[in-house]
Amino acid sequence: MSVLEGVKAGVKRSFSTITAFKTTSRSSSKDTIQIYTIAVGGTLCIFAFVNLLPLLIPLVTRVSNFVSKHFRYSYILHRHRILGPWTRAGVVIQLAYLVINLFYVFVVLSWDGLKAANFSDAGRRAGTLVEVNMIPLLAGPHFAFLADLLRLLLKTIRGVHRSAGWMTAALVFLHSMAVAFDGPLLIDVSQNLFTVIGASLLCLLLVLLLPLFRKLSYELFLRSHQALALASIYVVWRHVPSDKSSPRACIYTTMGIFAVTYLLQTGAVIPLTMDAGQYINLWIPSVSFWSFLQTHPFTVISWDAKDQARLDLLIEPRRGLTRELLYHTKEGYTINPLVIFSGPHGASLLMGEYESVLMVASGFGIAAFVAHLKKLIYGYNTRAVRTHRVHLLWQIKNEVQEVLNSALKEDKLDDGCILSISVYVKSKNSPKTLFGERASMYPGPAPLLEIFLAELSGNNIKVHAAEVGAEGQKALEQSESTSISGSEVIRDELRAVVRKYIRMRVKFVELDYQPK
């Protein structure tokens, strides 16, 4: 290489180095500008959100009230002996769930657009969806714990289970029909054999859902239902191809979720903390011969601001375990002290956030409110809640009031008796009767609309002098919580009443425990 060529090569290398440096500098400058832009834009968005939040809250409140009034509290199909009640929101959610499953089964997505799947492909897709829909069916050993874990109402979890069950049944039948459509089923083939077994198990499970079998022995029905569900998992596992891991992924996922929730439920009993309105599931195997199959939920009526040393239960003797417990109590028999329970279950309602609280109960539905009464009165006595008025409305058939004595004794401040009790006795024709200082007994059914409007007006609320402003007006904004644990007729009537006034800061809650 000559000297001139060496100089040229050096110049080229220098020029390349300078160009690379300029490119790197431009890239670093560009990255810095992007980071600066994101930081400034994010800061402006935060300030805008904070300033617009007061305007968004009323909008969200209006939307929530609209949805509650026209979808959550409005029935498309009212309560019937076989079907219902169906709310608009429930129907919309169910239709969306159905459309999503139908779309996946019968519609094929491709680069050319949408096209309909043939019957064989639809059956294969239905088989895949069976595994997916079985996940919520076997997500845990008990509905109550799932409701607690997901912070949902118990009836919501039951509704999800029911919908997923019927959808799984329909998909299994479609998958079985598609397999039969493809050709004769050779039972000596393992996959076909378990197809027949799975369809048979499903038919048996659907037959056991009939009211005749459920009412004959609910415990036997429940254990049979659970056994068939576990057997179905094994059948599906044997049915899917063993040489492919993806079809069995949903099965392993289902089993893993069940195992995790079971361990969490077992561990949740160890640090036992009971709040007002919660319940436990009891298993007492020594009460009777069949009691080892029976677990029952019982609402805890005791409440204490400190750690509870005992749990008081109000039990309605009906059939099975409750009848046996009553028999042992009357006869004074000593039974094996082995008692296993799960819980506590159910979310405690934050009734103390509302100035006025209306509790509506019928029959043994009073059990769901006793602990709430004690907690609210204690919170008022210690100035820990906003509640200034509690009205308990109790619809009963006969004159029974002993269960409320402890709550009445706690409501003892001279200028702050917030509890009022109205007992309506269907079988009584005599005029209004007073018992205690704040409880009255009336004949006939309760006028729900009249009572609700009276509580909503706020005229019955007693306010301390420290809570009255300079102009003599109450310092607290009127709000009402209306909760119910009653018969189906009373629940439907109260729902219709509340629906008309949902925009007036009213919260309506149906408790987990509802008497039959």
Side-chain angles (χ1 to χ4, degrees):
M1 179 183 295
S2 63
V3 176
L4 181 60
E5 291 175 347
V7 172
K8 289 182 178 180
V11 172
K12 288 182 178 180
R13 285 195 296 271
S14 300
F15 181 76
S16 299
T17 302
I18 295 172
T19 303
F21 177 76
K22 290 182 177 179
T23 303
T24 303
S25 300
R26 290 176 182 174
S27 178
S28 300
S29 177
K30 186 176 181 180
D31 292 341
T32 303
I33 293 175
Q34 289 178 348
I35 294 174
Y36 178 77
T37 302
I38 293 174
V40 173
T43 303
L44 291 176
C45 289
I46 292 174
F47 277 111
F49 178 77
V50 171
N51 286 280
L52 291 176
L53 189 60
L55 300 178
L56 293 176
I57 292 178
L59 177 62
V60 172
T61 302
R62 289 196 186 102
V63 173
S64 177
N65 291 339
F66 178 84
V67 171
S68 297
K69 181 177 181 179
H70 297 285
F71 289 91
R72 290 180 57 197
Y73 297 154
S74 296
Y75 287 144
I76 289 180
L77 177 65
H78 288 271
R79 198 180 301 275
H80 190 265
R81 184 170 57 89
I82 300 176
L83 297 176
W86 293 355
T87 63
R88 293 178 182 177
V91 171
V92 169
I93 294 174
Q94 296 290 350
L95 287 177
Y97 177 51
L98 176 63
V99 168
I100 291 173
N101 281 270
L102 291 178
F103 183 85
Y104 179 83
V105 171
F106 294 105
V107 179
V108 179
L109 292 174
S110 64
W111 294 107
D112 300 330
L114 303 178
K115 64 178 182 180
N118 57 46
F119 190 67
S120 179
D121 288 339
R124 177 181 53 81
R125 287 163 165 255
T128 303
L129 275 183
V130 167
E131 301 178 51
V132 177
N133 282 275
M134 288 182 72
I135 294 177
L137 291 177
L138 297 166
H142 204 283
F143 288 163
F145 182 75
L146 282 179
D148 300 335
L149 190 64
L150 301 176
R151 297 185 180 277
L152 296 173
L153 294 176
L154 182 60
K155 68 175 184 179
T156 302
I157 296 295
R158 287 174 175 167
V160 170
H161 184 87
R162 183 167 50 249
S163 300
W166 285 112
M167 181 61 68
T168 301
L171 293 171
V172 167
F173 282 125
L174 177 59
H175 179 69
S176 302
M177 292 174 59
V179 172
F181 180 80
D182 290 338
L185 284 176
L186 301 177
I187 304 300
D188 55 346
V189 179
S190 176
Q191 189 173 1
N192 294 338
L193 174 62
F194 282 98
T195 300
V196 175
I197 295 176
S200 302
L201 289 177
L202 180 61
C203 291
L204 179 58
L205 194 148
L206 293 178
V207 169
L208 291 178
L209 288 176
L210 296 175
L212 173 63
F213 297 98
R214 298 183 65 178
K215 292 181 179 180
L216 183 63
S217 176
Y218 180 79
E219 288 77 17
L220 186 59
F221 152 77
L222 181 61
R223 303 312 171 200
S224 302
H225 188 86
Q226 293 170 342
L228 290 173
L230 294 176
S232 299
I233 280 286
Y234 174 74
V235 169
V236 173
W237 179 73
R238 290 295 304 270
H239 171 70
V240 298
S242 58
D243 56 342
K244 297 180 181 179
S245 59
S246 56
R248 292 190 172 184
C250 288
I251 300 177
Y252 296 139
T253 301
T254 303
M255 296 171 62
I257 293 176
F258 183 89
V260 170
T261 53
Y262 181 81
L263 292 175
L264 290 175
Q265 179 175 342
T266 304
V269 180
I270 299 175
L272 181 60
T273 303
M274 186 69 61
D275 204 349
Q278 294 186 307
Y279 61 96
I280 59 175
N281 286 304
L282 278 183
W283 180 59
I284 312 176
S286 60
V287 170
S288 65
F289 179 77
W290 293 106
S291 61
F292 73 96
L293 292 176
Q294 304 175 20
T295 59
H296 281 263
F298 295 112
T299 301
V300 179
I301 63 173
S302 58
W303 182 87
D304 199 314
K306 303 177 182 179
D307 295 337
Q308 297 191 53
R310 54 178 289 177
L311 299 179
D312 296 333
L313 308 176
L314 180 62
I315 301 176
E316 178 184 9
R318 300 183 67 189
R319 298 174 55 188
L321 178 64
T322 55
R323 184 174 59 186
E324 293 295 334
L325 286 175
L326 178 62
Y327 173 77
H328 281 275
T329 301
K330 288 183 176 180
E331 298 297 330
Y333 293 151
T334 302
I335 61 175
N336 192 322
L338 176 62
V339 177
I340 299 177
F341 69 94
S342 66
H345 299 298
S348 181
L349 301 179
L350 301 178
M351 296 184 182
E353 296 181 353
Y354 295 85
E355 189 177 358
S356 177
V357 175
L358 174 61
M359 302 176 179
V360 181
S362 66
F364 271 83
I366 190 65
F369 291 118
V370 175
H372 281 296
L373 287 174
K374 297 178 181 179
K375 184 178 180 180
L376 283 174
I377 294 171
Y378 174 84
Y380 179 79
N381 292 343
T382 58
R383 303 296 185 263
V385 298
R386 296 182 65 240
T387 305
H388 286 65
R389 165 75 173 177
V390 179
H391 186 179
L392 173 63
L393 189 157
W394 191 14
Q395 181 79 65
I396 57 177
K397 295 181 179 180
N398 301 304
E399 299 182 16
V400 180
Q401 65 268 5
E402 289 82 0
V403 70
L404 299 177
N405 289 341
S406 59
L408 288 169
K409 291 178 181 178
E410 295 296 329
D411 186 26
K412 56 191 177 183
L413 286 188
D414 295 335
D415 60 342
C417 296
I418 65 171
L419 177 60
S420 175
I421 300 176
S422 300
V423 181
Y424 288 82
V425 185
K426 290 185 177 180
S427 61
K428 186 178 180 182
N429 297 320
S430 58
K432 174 182 176 181
T433 305
L434 298 178
F435 62 92
E437 297 180 0
R438 294 171 297 281
S440 304
M441 186 177 296
Y442 304 86
L448 292 179
L449 177 59
E450 178 184 340
I451 295 174
F452 175 80
L453 293 178
E455 298 302 326
L456 188 62
S457 67
N459 295 330
N460 296 322
I461 298 176
K462 293 183 179 180
V463 183
H464 291 279
E467 296 168 344
V468 178
E471 299 179 357
Q473 300 295 327
K474 288 185 295 183
L476 295 176
E477 183 179 1
Q478 168 66 11
S479 59
E480 180 178 339
S481 172
T482 302
S483 51
I484 183 170
S485 176
S487 64
E488 296 175 347
V489 175
I490 293 181
R491 295 206 304 269
D492 291 344
E493 183 180 353
L494 187 61
R495 175 186 286 263
V497 169
V498 173
R499 177 179 173 270
K500 300 177 182 178
Y501 302 92
I502 197 65
R503 68 184 185 279
M504 301 177 65
R505 292 178 53 80
V506 177
K507 182 178 181 180
F508 176 70
V509 179
E510 293 185 24
L511 303 185
D512 286 337
Y513 172 66
Q514 299 294 337
K516 299 296 184 181

